[in-house]
């Protein structure tokens, strides 16, 4: 089966600019996650979708971050305006089982550098 | 809140030898899932092995096995017959069965395999 697709692979922007990341999960996976992985740290959950509804966005900085999942399939994560501390790898993951108890399938991530 | 600790930022092993990566976690829950993920330079998180807390038997996947000590809240990963392709970041992760959200990751251990 095809994996989780993410684009772009790399992005460099100046602070205060906006940026968007795209994720296409594995077909049939109802649950989609966005993680932020700062250099030297483990991934941290930003938002979780079940189909096209938000299950948890408690750790999403809503003053600058937003996310949507179109028709319960593709998802877009946006940052506006970006700050230097947003430099990180943004990972998208999906799971077939809602609770993800069988583990998630991750994409290769987008490395964001804010200068 | 659950926390995951990986006390070894870096480890190295000689090719064909065995190495053990450590992980401890803190939780008040009685049932949960534990995972080890591998992250090569490609950045994609790859599921290595999964353990269900209610199962006493340690999980094994080919050259990978775990030592799950529930009372001690310890979940170490043993890699036997190490190969050059095993070189990567390894992340330990905790997933609650009571909470639909937030797979929590440790900070990771960078494994180097010496030829």
């Amino acid at each position: 089966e095809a994996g989780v697709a993410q684009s772009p692979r790399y992005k460099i922007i100046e602070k205060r600019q906006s940026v968007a990341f795209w994720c296409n999960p594995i077909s049939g996976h109802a649950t989609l996650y966005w993680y932020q992985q700062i250099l030297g740290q483990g991934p941290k959950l930003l938002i979780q979708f079940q189909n096209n509804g938000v299950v948890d966005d408690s750790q999403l900085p809503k003053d600058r971050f937003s996310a949507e999942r179109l028709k319960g399939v593709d998802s877009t994560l946006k940052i506006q305006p970006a700050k230097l501390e947003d430099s990180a790898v943004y990972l998208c993951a999906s799971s077939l089982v809602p609770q993800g108890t069988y583990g998630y399938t991750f994409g290769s991530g987008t490395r964001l550098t804010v200068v | 809140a659950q926390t995951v600790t990986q006390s070894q930022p870096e480890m190295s092993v000689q090719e064909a030898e065995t190495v053990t990566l450590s992980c401890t976690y803190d939780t008040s829950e009685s049932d949960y899932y534990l995972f080890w993920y591998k992250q090569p330079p490609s950045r994609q998180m790859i599921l290595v092995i999964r353990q269900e807390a209610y199962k006493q038997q340690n999980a094994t996947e080919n050259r990978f096995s775990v030592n799950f000590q529930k009372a001690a809240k310890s979940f170490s990963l043993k890699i036997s017959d190490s190969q050059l392709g095993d070189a990567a970041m390894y992340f330990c992760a905790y997933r609650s069965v009571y909470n639909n959200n937030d797979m929590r990751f440790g900070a990771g251990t960078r494994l180097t395999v010496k030829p």
Side-chain angles (χ1 to χ4, degrees), chain A residues 9-10 35 37 42-43 45 48 55-56 59 99 101-104 106 108-109, chain B residues 33 35 37 39 42-45 47 50 91 95 100-103 105-107:
Chain A
R9 189 149 173 79
Y10 301 93
Y35 279 83
Q37 185 179 17
L45 180 70
Q48 176 185 351
V55 174
D56 180 24
Q59 298 185 80
Q99 288 78 16
T101 52
Y102 290 90
Y104 306 165
F106 283 84
S108 295
Chain B
Y33 294 87
F35 304 87
Y37 279 89
Q39 188 178 42
S42 67
R43 299 198 304 258
Q44 185 175 15
M45 301 279 279
L47 179 64
R50 167 182 174 271
F91 291 94
R95 186 72 162 79
N100 277 335
N101 315 318
D102 204 0
M103 180 179 285
F105 289 84

Side-chain angles (χ1 to χ4, degrees), chain B residues 67-104:
Chain B
N67 183 5
F68 173 48
Q69 301 290 328
K70 191 172 183 180
K73 297 179 183 176
S74 171
F75 183 60
S76 60
L77 174 69
K78 185 172 80 171
I79 306 174
S80 304
D81 186 25
S82 297
Q83 300 175 0
L84 295 178
D86 294 334
M89 285 291 292
Y90 285 82
F91 291 94
C92 178
Y94 173 102
R95 186 72 162 79
S96 170
V97 301
Y98 306 107
N99 182 358
N100 277 335
N101 315 318
D102 204 0
M103 180 179 285
R104 294 187 179 264

Side-chain angles (χ1 to χ4, degrees), chain B:
Chain B
Q2 295 83 16
T3 58
V4 179
T5 302
Q6 293 179 251
S7 59
Q8 305 155 318
E10 297 183 358
M11 291 284 285
S12 66
V13 63
Q14 206 70 35
E15 195 175 5
E17 297 289 306
T18 296
V19 65
T20 299
L21 308 184
S22 301
C23 173
T24 58
Y25 56 94
D26 182 30
T27 184
S28 58
E29 298 176 340
S30 59
D31 199 9
Y32 44 86
Y33 294 87
L34 296 166
F35 304 87
W36 278 98
Y37 279 89
K38 170 185 177 181
Q39 188 178 42
S42 67
R43 299 198 304 258
Q44 185 175 15
M45 301 279 279
I46 302 166
L47 179 64
V48 174
I49 200 165
R50 167 182 174 271
Q51 176 78 41
E52 300 171 36
Y54 65 87
K55 288 187 177 179
Q56 293 185 338
Q57 186 174 6
N58 288 326
T60 62
E61 284 289 342
N62 301 314
R63 297 183 296 108
F64 299 88
S65 62
V66 299
N67 183 5
F68 173 48
Q69 301 290 328
K70 191 172 183 180
K73 297 179 183 176
S74 171
F75 183 60
S76 60
L77 174 69
K78 185 172 80 171
I79 306 174
S80 304
D81 186 25
S82 297
Q83 300 175 0
L84 295 178
D86 294 334
M89 285 291 292
Y90 285 82
F91 291 94
C92 178
Y94 173 102
R95 186 72 162 79
S96 170
V97 301
Y98 306 107
N99 182 358
N100 277 335
N101 315 318
D102 204 0
M103 180 179 285
R104 294 187 179 264
F105 289 84
T109 296
R110 180 175 301 280
L111 178 66
T112 302
V113 181
K114 299 177 180 178

Side-chain angles (χ1 to χ4, degrees), chain A residues 1-109:
Chain A
E1 62 181 4
V4 175
Q6 287 190 248
S7 67
R9 189 149 173 79
Y10 301 93
K11 189 74 177 178
I12 301 174
I13 62 172
E14 295 183 350
K15 59 183 178 182
R16 291 188 290 274
Q17 285 187 324
S18 62
V19 64
F21 313 125
W22 174 82
C23 173
N24 179 241
I26 291 176
S27 177
H29 280 196
T31 311
L32 184 147
Y33 313 82
W34 281 103
Y35 279 83
Q36 180 193 57
Q37 185 179 17
I38 294 173
L39 185 65
Q41 299 180 19
K44 183 188 80 171
L45 180 70
L46 291 176
I47 189 168
Q48 176 185 351
F49 292 94
Q50 181 67 24
N51 296 309
N52 60 353
V54 175
V55 174
D56 180 24
D57 62 359
S58 59
Q59 298 185 80
L60 187 73
K62 298 181 187 62
D63 58 334
R64 298 184 300 106
F65 286 64
S66 64
E68 61 179 2
R69 190 174 184 194
L70 305 174
K71 300 180 181 178
V73 181
D74 292 5
S75 178
T76 303
L77 177 69
K78 297 179 181 178
I79 307 175
Q80 182 180 7
K83 292 185 176 181
L84 295 177
E85 58 261 36
D86 297 332
S87 294
V89 173
Y90 290 85
L91 294 165
C92 179
S94 68
S95 66
L96 179 62
V97 179
Q99 288 78 16
T101 52
Y102 290 90
Y104 306 165
T105 302
F106 283 84
S108 295

